[in-house]
């Protein structure tokens, strides 16, 4: 049998170098620009998971470092070989005759194939040896920890504090800002009221999905008092990006003061404009918003809305996308639909009514 012949196309006689100097210069400029852009990522990054602020986040970060190094080594070796092959076997301008002939065809190399199957499997096995225990560690529930119920919903977070021993008082509910004592483990019990969300405070722990019909638990601990930003980490609808959260970690004194404050019942307003606002609140807002400790409304009923008992003890509202101040709150009352997918329906309010409502809400400290 004769050797098979391959169809061969005859190319043009003269060939320009494949990579020109100008395009090399452009590539170098692009790479330098990208590198510069990446260095900017590190400054002012409140959700930097590479800057852990609690034991759980640190455990993940300790794992991330070596795995990243292994990945980088693989990347450099593979890309290095690709670049080497591209340069070494590139088409040259002074290529002799016979350029377009097909090189000898190779079909399989048993040793190589066994090698590049075993090596990655070994690398992954080593990574797994370190990763699997961490996954189990992170799902372990700490004993005697403060437990907070968390309900994710479109598009905000509700929290219930009911652990009588630790809070030493009646249960209460709050929204968006999760307050915890610093230096102590906290256990979250996560549930969803509608679709899948994901609770994520990157400097304190990884993501934990919040799934309808299930209860997931998640640990959280902050080394130091401070404010740690977070957000929903699972696409959940039009305002997924507007479903943020804050974790506020207190020192011992601050924690006790916050608890005392939250357990205080709301007082009826005395000032006239606020009292009118209170009446208006009863007519227009109280179907969904509560000013007491009722959890059922928040966790079970629909529609539900954040409990406002101590609204002005918070810094943010509406899924933590607006700072809590007069301007933002009045703009919200004028048009809650400024946040896409907001379930708040209040109808048109006059400016006088908005002032009255604001005067009442301001008393909820
Ligand atoms: Cu909730 Cu995304």
């Amino acid at each position: 049998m004769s050797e098979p012949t391959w169809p061969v196309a005859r190319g043009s006689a003269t060939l320009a170098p494949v990579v020109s100097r100008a395009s090399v210069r452009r590539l170098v400029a692009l790479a330098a620009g990208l590198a510069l852009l990446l260095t900017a990522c590190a400054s002012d990054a409140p959700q930097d998971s590479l800057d852990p602020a609690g034991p759980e986040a640190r455990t993940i970060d300790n794992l991330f470092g070596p795995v990243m190094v292994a990945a980088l080594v693989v990347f450099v070796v593979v890309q290095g070989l690709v670049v080497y092959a591209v340069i070494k076997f590139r088409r040259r301008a002074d290529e002799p005759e016979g350029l377009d002939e097909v090189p000898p065809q190779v079909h399989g190399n048993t040793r190589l194939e066994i090698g590049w199957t075993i090596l990655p499997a070994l690398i992954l096995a080593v990574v797994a040896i370190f990763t699997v225990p961490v996954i189990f560690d992170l799902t372990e529930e700490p004993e005697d920890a403060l437990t907070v119920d968390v309900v994710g919903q479109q598009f905000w977070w509700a929290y219930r504090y009911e652990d009588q021993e630790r809070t030493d008082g009646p249960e209460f509910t709050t929204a968006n800002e999760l307050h915890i004592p610093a230096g102590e483990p906290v256990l979250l019990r996560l549930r969803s009221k509608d679709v899948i969300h994901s609770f994520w405070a990157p400097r304190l722990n990884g993501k934990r999905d919040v799934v309808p019909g299930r209860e997931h638990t998640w640990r959280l601990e902050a080394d130091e008092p401070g404010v740690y930003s977070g957000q929903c980490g699972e696409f959940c609808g039009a305002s997924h990006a507007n479903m943020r959260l804050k974790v506020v970690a207190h020192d011992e004194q601050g924690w006790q003061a916050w608890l005392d404050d939250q357990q205080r019942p709301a007082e009826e307003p005395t000032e006239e404009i606020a009292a009118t606002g209170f009446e208006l609140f009863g007519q227009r807002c109280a179907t969904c918003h509560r000013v007491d400790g009722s959890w059922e409304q928040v966790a079970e009923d629909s529609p539900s809305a954040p409990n406002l008992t101590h609204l002005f003890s918070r810094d943010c509202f509406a899924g933590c996308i607006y700072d809590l101040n007069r301007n933002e709150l009045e703009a919200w009352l004028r048009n809650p639909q400024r946040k896409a997918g907001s379930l708040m329906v209040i109808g048109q309010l006059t400016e006088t009514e908005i002032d009255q409502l604001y005067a009442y809400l301001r008393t909820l400290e």
Side-chain angles (χ1 to χ4, degrees):
M1 253 178 88
S2 63
E3 284 280 294
T5 52
W6 300 87
V8 166
R10 293 279 156 207
S12 61
T14 56
L15 287 167
V18 175
V19 185
S20 72
R21 291 209 166 181
S23 56
V24 168
R25 260 184 248 123
R26 271 199 293 274
L27 270 176
V28 169
L30 182 70
L34 278 176
L36 206 65
L37 199 68
L38 281 174
T39 57
C41 291
S43 68
D44 189 26
Q47 299 194 156
D48 186 357
S49 61
L50 301 178
D51 182 19
E56 285 79 25
R58 208 157 29 245
T59 306
I60 296 172
D61 191 52
N62 287 344
L63 193 62
F64 179 81
V67 173
M68 189 67 187
V69 169
L72 270 176
V73 170
V74 172
F75 178 83
V76 168
V77 169
V78 171
Q79 294 305 312
L81 287 173
V82 168
V83 170
Y84 169 78
V86 164
I87 292 172
K88 165 109 176 147
F89 301 109
R90 73 185 186 278
R91 179 174 274 200
R92 292 182 171 83
D94 57 346
E95 203 75 45
E97 271 298 297
L99 164 77
D100 291 326
E101 270 166 33
V102 173
Q105 298 298 294
V106 180
H107 294 285
N109 180 318
T110 313
R111 261 193 240 170
L112 263 181
E113 283 173 13
I114 290 175
W116 68 51
T117 304
I118 287 182
L119 191 65
L122 272 179
I123 294 172
L124 290 180
V126 172
V127 169
I129 287 170
F130 292 99
T131 309
V132 174
V134 168
I135 292 173
F136 282 100
D137 279 356
L138 288 177
T139 49
E140 217 165 85
E141 298 181 9
E143 278 175 30
D144 192 32
L146 170 76
T147 305
V148 184
D149 283 302
V150 180
V151 174
Q153 49 202 300
Q154 290 172 320
F155 296 95
W156 59 283
W157 302 93
Y159 307 114
R160 172 171 68 162
Y161 294 74
E162 61 147 6
D163 197 317
Q164 301 293 324
E165 233 172 82
R166 301 297 299 269
T167 63
D168 192 29
E171 70 168 52
F172 58 88
T173 74
T174 177
N176 298 317
E177 286 180 11
L178 175 70
H179 289 248
I180 61 170
E184 285 187 42
V186 176
L187 182 69
L188 306 181
R189 284 196 296 239
L190 303 156
R191 282 187 294 147
S192 166
K193 232 176 121 169
D194 36 45
V195 298
I196 302 177
H197 305 274
S198 185
F199 188 94
W200 190 31
R203 294 192 62 204
L204 301 181
N205 201 344
K207 289 176 190 171
R208 183 65 158 156
D209 274 8
V210 184
V211 181
R214 298 191 61 141
E215 184 180 281
H216 288 168
T217 55
W218 204 218
R219 307 158 60 121
L220 216 59
E221 184 175 336
D223 299 328
E224 302 285 339
V227 179
Y228 305 94
S229 299
Q231 65 180 76
C232 178
E234 174 76 35
F235 181 71
C236 56
S239 260
H240 156 67
N242 296 326
M243 190 169 166
R244 300 185 201 160
L245 61 98
K246 275 183 192 176
V247 179
V248 183
H250 294 276
D251 60 18
E252 219 179 306
Q253 245 185 341
W255 169 241
Q256 203 51 54
W258 183 81
L259 278 181
D260 292 345
D261 197 44
Q262 298 296 313
Q263 286 162 356
R264 206 163 30 79
E267 287 159 25
E268 281 206 18
T270 46
E271 205 193 344
E272 199 191 322
I273 181 171
T276 319
F278 178 53
E279 251 172 62
L280 196 58
F281 183 87
Q283 296 157 8
R284 306 286 291 265
C285 319
T287 316
C288 307
H289 283 287
R290 285 299 164 98
V291 180
D292 59 23
S294 166
W295 171 248
E296 284 63 35
Q297 178 88 7
V298 171
E300 319 296 346
D301 295 359
S302 197
S304 77
N307 188 308
L308 301 181
T309 312
H310 297 286
L311 174 65
F312 269 85
S313 69
R314 304 172 202 157
D315 289 334
C316 59
F317 70 101
C320 254
I321 58 168
Y322 304 119
D323 289 338
L324 189 58
N325 58 46
R326 182 165 194 157
N327 271 348
E328 295 287 6
L329 198 55
E330 294 204 343
W332 176 255
L333 290 171
R334 267 179 219 114
N335 176 26
Q337 296 310 313
R338 68 198 288 235
K339 176 177 168 180
S342 164
L343 294 181
M344 180 155 144
V345 180
I346 192 169
Q348 203 64 48
L349 295 163
T350 65
E351 284 303 308
T352 316
E353 287 174 325
I354 287 174
D355 286 343
Q356 290 162 344
L357 272 178
Y358 176 79
Y360 168 57
L361 294 173
R362 189 69 192 82
T363 67
L364 301 172
E365 292 187 311

